Amino acid sequence: RALAASLPEGGTMMLVAAGAEPSVRAPLTDQRAPLEAAIAALRVQGVPRGVPSVRGLEESVALAAERLEGSPAPRIVLLTDAAADGEARLAAGDVALDVRRLGSARAENAAILDAAARPARPAPGEPRDRDLAELFARVRWIGSAPRDVFLEARLVGGDAPFASRRLTLHPDEDQRVVLRARLPPDARGRAAVVELALRTPEGADLGDALDLDDRAVVPSPGVRRLPVFLVGPVAPAFARAFAADPDVELFRTDLERLAALDADERPVLEGLVVFAGALPAVPPAGLSIVVAPEGNRAFEVSLGETREAPAILTWAEDAEALRFTSFEDVHLAAVRPLGGAGRTLLETSAGAAMREVTRPDGVTLVLGFDPAASDWTRDPSFVIFARNALERARRSRAAGGIAAGPLGAPLRVPAPDGSRVLVESPGGERADAVARAGVALVAVPALSGVHRATLDDGRERFALRALFDAGESDPRPRLTFAQADTAPAEEARAAPRVSEAWPWLAAVSLVLLVLEALWATRREARA
């Protein structure tokens, strides 16, 4: 703001935010209003895990130099807290570069570096409580002296915390915390989402150097309660294998019975769905298994003529569906060879017997044979196959149906082509996008919490985002700067000028590009 206010008459300025990818927030302009609006809209953003923090600075300076090429007396001002490890090699070419390092070495910050929720083990002699959970957190304090904070746990959407613990944090030490609580599923049988937050002893926000890492969200262990739908004449062996899991709730139905129900009474086929015989027109979201389907197609997979007694040749041991399984001693009575979309997981002398089709909103395993007409159901690999499917469905359901991603990155929301997806972020901001190729890319702010997506047909999905990165949570300046593309002997001469400036802007990482007044204006000023 000070740079914008100091522009001479006719002077122009450009604003570039140096996140994981550089973005021009205000094009070159001499108008104060758009500059003020762009500055006001800036937000602190975390850099995705695995992306070097300095890359955004380097690419932003390179972008600035490119945009200012040919301008009279251009100048780049880089504002950064330098809170990253390593060296930034800045390629500004012939453009004057002024690096202003913000903040101070005494910057203090508390951070949740990791969090998880797991089922609690009952004490010896106590019955198992399916709703009892243990919440794990790893907290770090970067400061000059010990500090007291509270770690609170609450349900997302709830008012009061249901568990809390007072912590005395010591500088540069990790403290591991375990909270126990009962977390029953909601009215729809869905697992609750838990928010862990660091607060002051008075219950206020910490107000430290970075607030993005003061809270985290995790799905509760109730997500292990998995609905499994058996639709059609599914082999009894599937029901026995799934029922062995105490957290599975089995439902038997068929397509005719589902079609006879009113829309508001019809259950949503989610979790894990196993079809046998007839199939719906569209596969459900999430994980589904198709066994010995009728007709010539099973969604995107084609079925050939029945072949008797095929020999099993190979199976994809690296596939998630077949982890730890073996078909070495398995024999099939018959198979209908599969073709079309997907990856072959099981190959026989008659052709593919199992294929996996991956879509933006889920995965379908198609079996071109009836397991009941084989000795596979008596082999241990069948039980392992069933357990692999259950755990895979649980992971998908816990993630809210939207693939995991870094804080601040666009959400990849599975949706039918041409449909509009509306996303509400934890801060109440709303954004939408139209789905293309089965996915809607929705830009969202870098906020920890639950980002909720609503599709045109009323279906809901959600994404859990949190900043778990020790480097990003350390606000102390430690980055060094050098001029890129220069000979070693010239580096000391060409290195950008570094100065300390504006501590009150700590933790902001952005690039301000200032193009000084036009030559005519400069001549008037000298006159």
Side-chain angles (χ1 to χ4, degrees), residues 60 79 96 132 136 185 197 233 259 262 345 395 404 406 421 434 440 481 490 495 510:
S60 294
L79 306 181
L132 190 61
F136 298 83
D262 294 334
L345 302 187
R395 286 195 300 273
V421 175
V434 176
F481 301 91
E490 299 175 345
L510 55 95

Side-chain angles (χ1 to χ4, degrees), residues 45-46 48 405-412 442-446 465:
Q45 294 196 13
L407 198 69
L411 301 186
R412 298 178 57 86
V442 187
V444 294
R465 295 292 185 264

Side-chain angles (χ1 to χ4, degrees), residues 247-269:
D247 292 314
V248 161
E249 298 179 5
L250 276 176
F251 301 92
R252 280 191 173 276
T253 186
D254 55 51
L255 294 183
E256 291 185 0
R257 200 178 312 172
L258 290 173
L261 296 175
D262 294 334
D264 56 346
E265 297 177 347
R266 192 176 305 137
V268 177
L269 298 184

Side-chain angles (χ1 to χ4, degrees), residues 199-239:
R199 313 278 284 178
T200 67
E202 296 74 30
D205 292 338
L206 291 184
D208 55 8
L210 185 64
D211 60 2
L212 291 179
D213 52 14
D214 292 345
R215 63 190 67 246
V217 286
V218 293
S220 86
V223 77
R224 293 195 61 79
R225 293 193 188 182
L226 186 72
V228 176
F229 293 88
L230 306 181
V231 184
V234 178
F238 279 98

Side-chain angles (χ1 to χ4, degrees), residues 106-125:
R106 294 176 59 85
E108 297 183 331
N109 187 51
I112 300 175
L113 297 184
D114 202 359
R118 300 169 188 166
R121 294 182 179 178

